[in-house]
Amino acid sequence: MNPFSYTRATDPQQATQATATNASAKFLAGGTNLIDLMKMGVERPTQLVDVNRLSLAQIEELPNGCGVRIGALARNSDVAQHPLIVQRYPVLSQALLAGASPQLRNLATTGGNLLQRTRCYYFYDPAFPQCNKRNPGSGCGALNGFNRIHAILGQSEQCIATNPSDMNVALAALDAVVQVQSAKGTRSIPIADFHRLPGDTPNVDTNLQADELITAVDLPAIPFATRSHYLKVRDRASYAFALVSVAVALDVQNGRINAARVALGGVAHKAWRAQKAEAALVGKTAGEKAFRAAAETELAAAKGYKHNSFKIELAKRAMVRALSTVAQMT
Ligand code: SF4
């Protein structure tokens, strides 16, 4: 392991001051991903700024019925079990409970979950020379290697990795907004703009600047989000990342779809908001015919590789099943 210094921040200004003056400093919250990556030699920060003592763990209603704010340090298990989330955004509660193990959920934070890095095998093992994400310009080992867990949408010739987070898929469907702070001030980043597709710079996962601290995630008020669901398809029943997942919320009146939110996980470098499917669903009669047509529309541009082409049909079927589940809710 590389040597690094450790600082415990007592307020956000102090935390962001540290990262503003050291480009290779990292914030430490739950550490459930960062510490693993440091042990493997993939992440090599020269300074860890421990933000666990900051007062950023509240889950509370926003004023004027505008939604709910989740503090960046709210633990995944606390968010999943909070009455405001369970009652108003069940898709988020279900997504969080589908992730990792109870022990990891007790430690992992909302901000850290947003910043989870891909589980691509080649990225995790520095013994593999080819990985544009870990070592820009070195090539992509997965492209012609073992690529069963890799992307089918939005990928590039530089990287076909997927975002591993379940939470991010629900946040994409809910149009969450990420609140951040730096020494320069604060800003809000819509979740659709937070994570990046790989393009020519797959080493850059997000549009967050190195000195910016995530302080909260805001969920807008979406009355029909009470009718929502998260479906995760994986190799084993627990403690496994999604091969494909689907977050769905539907507004159905008298059998007609007024509004739809659909996002896919396990298929792209970021949670994939299925906007083509959403547009195809609005105005249709809720039922398998409309759901299958929407899934076909969304996956029309999908491209599989040697080991992951099965994901294309799997994603379609998962979408139909998740949409059917929500449509049957009363
Ligand atoms: Fe690296 Fe991305 Fe290729 Fe995986 S898919 S080896 S993370 S460049």
Side-chain angles (χ1 to χ4, degrees):
M1 183 179 281
N2 277 14
F4 60 89
S5 64
Y6 171 88
T7 312
R8 179 177 285 158
T10 53
D11 62 66
Q13 290 76 16
Q14 183 200 1
T16 53
Q17 202 59 48
T19 50
T21 53
N22 180 0
S24 69
K26 290 264 180 191
F27 295 119
L28 173 68
T32 55
N33 190 206
L34 177 61
I35 300 301
D36 280 352
L37 289 164
M38 288 174 67
K39 288 177 182 172
M40 316 268 301
V42 177
E43 295 273 14
R44 296 166 179 264
T46 58
Q47 183 181 11
L48 285 185
V49 182
D50 186 338
V51 295
N52 281 291
R53 301 284 174 93
L54 304 186
S55 180
L56 294 173
Q58 299 88 345
I59 301 168
E60 56 198 2
E61 288 199 69
L62 289 164
N64 307 317
C66 287
V68 171
R69 173 162 291 176
I70 302 169
L73 289 174
R75 307 288 156 173
N76 287 181
S77 48
D78 292 335
V79 178
Q81 290 157 13
H82 196 283
L84 285 173
I85 306 302
V86 173
Q87 290 160 17
R88 298 188 194 176
Y89 309 98
V91 65
L92 177 56
S93 176
Q94 292 166 19
L96 286 163
L97 292 174
S101 66
Q103 292 87 350
L104 285 166
R105 293 195 293 268
N106 288 342
L107 201 56
T109 63
T110 303
N113 199 331
L114 278 166
L115 299 176
Q116 274 197 77
R117 306 211 68 188
T118 184
R119 262 53 180 192
C120 172
Y121 334 106
Y122 302 93
F123 172 72
Y124 258 75
D125 188 348
F128 283 107
Q130 285 192 315
C131 176
N132 285 325
K133 187 178 285 295
R134 175 167 40 75
N135 185 13
S138 62
C140 172
L143 204 56
N144 296 307
F146 187 55
N147 43 40
R148 184 167 185 273
I149 65 170
H150 289 78
I152 55 173
L153 288 165
Q155 66 274 53
S156 74
E157 289 297 301
Q158 305 299 315
C159 179
I160 58 172
T162 53
N163 185 298
S165 168
D166 295 293
M167 181 191 80
N168 291 347
V169 187
L171 294 185
L174 295 170
D175 273 338
V177 178
V178 183
Q179 305 294 346
V180 307
Q181 179 172 341
S182 72
K184 298 187 281 291
T186 60
R187 68 178 178 126
S188 304
I189 310 173
I191 191 75
D193 300 329
F194 186 83
H195 297 99
R196 300 176 69 256
L197 291 177
D200 292 333
T201 52
N203 53 309
V204 185
D205 288 350
T206 73
N207 288 315
L208 193 71
Q209 300 302 306
D211 62 335
E212 287 182 318
L213 174 71
I214 300 170
T215 55
V217 173
D218 291 351
L219 304 177
I222 307 171
F224 67 88
T226 54
R227 292 175 60 145
S228 62
H229 177 58
Y230 186 71
L231 174 65
K232 180 174 181 177
V233 184
R234 47 188 157 174
D235 279 327
R236 56 176 186 265
S238 71
Y239 200 40
F241 293 97
L243 291 167
V244 165
S245 67
V246 190
V248 167
L250 280 181
D251 180 9
V252 182
Q253 303 289 335
N254 301 319
R256 261 174 79 89
I257 301 167
N258 284 341
R261 301 290 184 87
V262 185
L264 300 174
V267 298
H269 200 254
K270 59 191 285 188
W272 188 264
R273 183 72 180 269
Q275 289 174 319
K276 291 176 186 158
E278 293 176 2
L281 287 165
V282 172
K284 301 289 191 316
T285 300
E288 187 161 342
K289 185 177 167 204
F291 300 156
R292 180 75 198 189
E296 293 284 355
T297 301
E298 190 63 46
L299 273 298
K303 176 187 172 187
Y305 296 87
K306 185 174 181 184
H307 305 103
N308 75 344
S309 292
F310 72 94
K311 280 190 177 186
I312 298 173
E313 178 60 23
L314 184 63
K316 293 176 188 174
R317 293 187 188 192
M319 283 178 70
V320 171
R321 186 164 138 198
L323 287 160
S324 301
T325 300
V326 177
Q328 285 162 16
M329 293 176 179
T330 53

